[in-house]
Amino acid sequence: SRYVPASISTSSTGTHLIYQAIDLQTHQQGALKKWLLDSNTSRSNRLTQLDKVIEAAKKLQKLQHPSLLPIRDAFIENDDGYIVTEWMEGSNLQTLLTETSYGFEARKVSDILSQIIDLLSYLRQQGYSNWQFQPDHLIYQSNGTVYFLTPALLSQTQNTSSLPYLAPEILQGQPLSEKSDTFSLGVLAYYLLTKRFPYKVEGRDTIYGISTVVPPTCIHALIPVEFEKMVLKTLLPSPEKRPLPTEAFQQEFENEKN
């Protein structure tokens, strides 16, 4: 094999195991991601699924954005699928969040969200719209830079971990939109601020369109009032009442940082 794991699995996102590896051709460090499939899948179906994943991964290699981890390679070996990205030092946001008492401070959340909004706008322009920006897909570096784990875009459907971030109208069968992105960003902001979701996650069902969302009226006293108002506005059940993420939403984040 061209890639030799330099460590045991460092983490898992549910769809793949991640190893720190060495590229024997370039001698560079990389992240070797082994794609996980149901163990009960037949060999023929497994290879068919892996072919689709690898083909899609190779298309992702053309994407270039400061917050995307570049994909270097994608291949099948011994009936397993692998994707290689640059190795990035840092921890995912979910891990960092568990190390806090109440969540991140508002200014840090504001900076994280502004980077995600810019990336989200770029991905929409490239035809990628699935919401996959949950904390365990986001790497945070000590200098404040956020990187998105690009292979997460390979999921063709919303996975279980992304369900809590989806807007009510999406769970009722409507297509993703900028206003549904606003809601998802609001849920992420609330979660990063408090370590909890702004509503009960139980009972949200994409099959039957069941989604009872009672928007919160406050977050907590340590958050600046204007920032709190902005986050609460993004969580309104009616999409017409939410700001657009790349216009009013981002502008309010920028105002908060000034």
Side-chain angles (χ1 to χ4, degrees), residues 45-181:
N45 287 338
R46 178 183 183 83
L47 291 177
T48 297
Q49 291 183 47
L50 288 177
D51 281 338
K52 292 180 179 179
V53 168
I54 298 306
E55 181 181 359
K58 290 182 176 179
K59 291 180 180 179
L60 289 176
Q61 288 182 286
K62 68 179 182 179
L63 298 181
Q64 295 185 352
H65 187 277
S67 294
L68 279 179
L69 283 180
I71 292 181
R72 292 178 179 169
D73 198 3
F75 60 94
I76 296 175
E77 184 175 276
N78 297 327
D79 293 350
D80 285 317
Y82 295 90
I83 298 168
V84 182
T85 68
E86 287 189 9
W87 179 261
M88 196 62 62
E89 296 295 338
S91 300
N92 69 55
L93 288 179
Q94 185 61 53
T95 298
L96 293 175
L97 200 60
T98 61
E99 299 171 358
T100 69
S101 298
Y102 302 103
F104 299 143
E105 62 178 19
R107 187 173 294 275
K108 183 172 183 176
V109 173
S110 172
D111 184 59
I112 291 171
L113 268 280
S114 65
Q115 294 179 67
I116 294 175
I117 289 168
D118 187 69
L119 173 58
L120 188 59
S121 176
Y122 170 76
L123 290 175
R124 276 199 167 278
Q125 293 172 10
Q126 302 300 315
Y128 295 92
S129 59
N130 280 0
W131 177 267
Q132 300 293 348
F133 294 96
Q134 47 266 40
D136 59 344
H137 288 167
L138 297 163
I139 301 298
Y140 186 84
Q141 292 193 306
S142 57
N143 63 1
T145 302
V146 175
Y147 289 94
F148 176 65
L149 296 178
T150 312
L153 292 173
L154 295 172
S155 175
Q156 297 301 306
T157 58
Q158 302 295 345
N159 56 38
T160 303
S161 60
S162 67
L163 285 180
Y165 298 90
L166 299 185
E169 65 269 20
I170 303 305
L171 298 183
Q172 293 167 359
Q174 296 181 31
L176 289 162
S177 67
E178 287 188 281
K179 291 299 185 72
S180 68
D181 286 344

